Amino acid sequence: MRTLLAAALCLAATATGCGATVRSAEDARSPAVTLTNCGREVTYDKVPERVVTNDVGITELMFALGLEDRMAGFAMPDDRGDLSRVPWKDGYDKVPWLSKDQLTKENVLDARADLVVAGWNYGFREDGGFTPDALDKLGIPSYVLTESCRNGRTKTSRGIMPPLDALYTDLTNLGALFGVEKRARALVDGFREQVAGVRAKAPRGAGRPSVFLYDSGRDTPFTSGRYAAPEQIITEAGGVNVMHDVADSWTTAGWETVVERDPDVIVICDYGDVSAERKKRFLLSYAPLRDVSAVRHRRIVALDYADLVESPRNPSAVARLGAYLRTVAEQG
């Protein structure tokens, strides 16, 4: 973070593969695969065999698709929470941890990568010269995380579709690229079903609690607009993101806006050197927030970083937050 085109895209992507298992070396000589990534068509000449990923959510997309044996490594800080409980935790034991920071050209070259999967502010960055264009000049193709696609509103604004659609798009695209369309389709179908189950029980109308996502920051809070994963996690769980009108993904806001919009619940993004408990203590003690409903009623809940960035953990985060918001709604 410091970090669908829907039906048409899914049909186009799923029409290209040939089964639910990773292609063999012989299969890798099959025709090129063309995908739509961040609004443009990208052609991959072969099935990648040495993929390098940046950050936990992107890495777990590969793991969830069963593609560990196609990976040469990943970069990820070691503050991303407990990795032992995720369904695909074995991937972390099988794939080299290249860096506890962000990817660099050196990491990628040393790993002999033939594909880099990262995102804007999830590895790709202009200031360090680590961009898809820079990798292309080295002969290394890339795939950009759809949650992070730039939308053209400003030079850095991100997000081109609802966040869960972004997740389903990436699973579908990667499934097509690696020939595991059936597995991708099963994941997407399962996630849709899980989310629909939460939605069916969620508070409705005026009973939906308003929610502020707090990532970090004291003078200026870092939060989620409508294109980052928390937007749809909150919405499907039965809440209303108070920053829904912000046409960006992860971005800053002003405390005065938080006070004015008076959220019923605050969700903390738990990661980094500052623990969720310390963030909670700050929110409860910060004088400008003392009259905010979430603070007055101590309705503050934490979700892991990997729950709140695009990742295959998003649907389970919807379920957990949904249970909490139902309780809030029942209390009135």
Side-chain angles (χ1 to χ4, degrees):
M1 179 166 27
R2 329 259 170 292
T3 69
L4 262 157
L5 301 179
L9 176 56
C10 285
L11 287 171
T14 55
T16 56
C18 58
T21 57
V22 176
R23 293 172 180 168
S24 65
E26 181 178 352
D27 294 329
R29 293 193 293 271
S30 60
V33 175
T34 298
L35 305 174
T36 301
N37 183 213
C38 290
R40 68 188 185 95
E41 288 193 343
V42 183
T43 298
Y44 301 88
D45 294 332
K46 67 181 185 69
V47 180
E49 297 179 347
R50 298 191 58 81
V51 183
V52 170
T53 58
N54 188 87
D55 212 2
V56 57
I58 298 169
T59 300
E60 291 185 7
L61 289 175
M62 294 290 291
F63 292 169
L65 288 166
L67 296 172
E68 297 93 331
D69 64 343
R70 294 286 184 177
M71 295 180 66
F74 61 87
M76 186 176 84
D78 57 5
D79 60 3
R80 295 310 194 230
D82 183 6
L83 303 177
S84 66
R85 294 175 295 172
V86 299
W88 35 86
K89 63 182 181 299
D90 291 349
Y92 288 105
D93 297 324
K94 297 176 182 177
V95 180
W97 197 326
L98 302 178
S99 170
K100 294 190 176 181
D101 197 356
Q102 298 189 94
L103 284 178
T104 64
K105 292 177 185 176
E106 290 73 23
N107 294 147
V108 170
L109 290 170
D110 287 347
R112 294 181 289 113
D114 58 4
L115 178 69
V116 173
V117 186
W120 292 110
N121 284 30
Y122 297 92
F124 291 137
R125 54 205 181 275
E126 300 285 0
D127 57 359
F130 191 80
T131 67
D133 286 345
L135 291 174
D136 189 56
K137 291 176 181 177
L138 297 173
I140 303 171
S142 59
Y143 182 89
V144 180
L145 185 76
T146 297
E147 183 194 60
S148 78
C149 296
R150 289 176 170 168
N151 61 33
R153 190 175 64 84
T154 70
K155 289 184 178 180
T156 59
S157 297
R158 296 173 292 161
I160 60 173
M161 66 179 69
L164 289 180
D165 286 354
L167 170 65
Y168 304 152
T169 294
D170 288 335
L171 287 170
T172 300
N173 273 348
L174 293 171
L177 177 58
F178 288 95
V180 291
E181 295 95 328
K182 288 184 180 178
R183 182 167 185 133
R185 192 157 49 245
L187 284 169
V188 172
D189 289 348
F191 290 158
R192 288 186 186 276
E193 183 177 357
Q194 183 178 15
V195 171
V198 179
R199 187 191 311 123
K201 297 182 290 186
R204 301 178 186 279
R208 300 171 68 200
S210 57
V211 182
F212 173 65
L213 187 286
Y214 177 65
D215 175 281
S216 58
R218 288 179 171 258
D219 296 333
T220 304
F222 200 64
T223 186
S224 164
R226 68 172 173 265
Y227 290 127
E231 160 74 16
Q232 205 166 3
I233 290 170
I234 292 167
T235 302
E236 300 287 16
V240 179
N241 178 14
V242 297
M243 297 299 172
H244 172 77
D245 60 318
V246 179
D248 205 344
S249 60
W250 295 94
T251 188
T252 56
W255 285 120
E256 63 277 7
T257 303
V258 180
V259 173
E260 177 186 349
R261 299 184 180 187
D262 191 23
D264 299 308
V265 173
I266 296 175
V267 174
I268 290 172
C269 183
D270 186 10
Y271 76 104
D273 296 332
V274 182
S275 69
E277 185 57 36
R278 284 178 59 192
K279 291 178 182 180
K280 181 177 180 178
R281 288 200 300 268
F282 163 69
L283 294 168
L284 291 173
S285 64
Y286 189 50
L289 297 180
R290 62 180 177 272
D291 293 325
V292 168
S293 296
V295 172
R296 285 191 293 109
H297 297 288
R298 304 178 73 89
R299 291 171 173 165
I300 301 175
V301 62
L303 291 174
D304 284 346
Y305 172 91
D307 293 324
L308 294 168
V309 297
E310 185 196 315
S311 83
R313 299 197 210 182
N314 296 158
S316 67
V318 172
R320 281 177 279 125
L321 183 58
Y324 182 84
L325 294 185
R326 288 196 299 274
T327 300
V328 171
E330 289 166 2
Q331 293 171 349

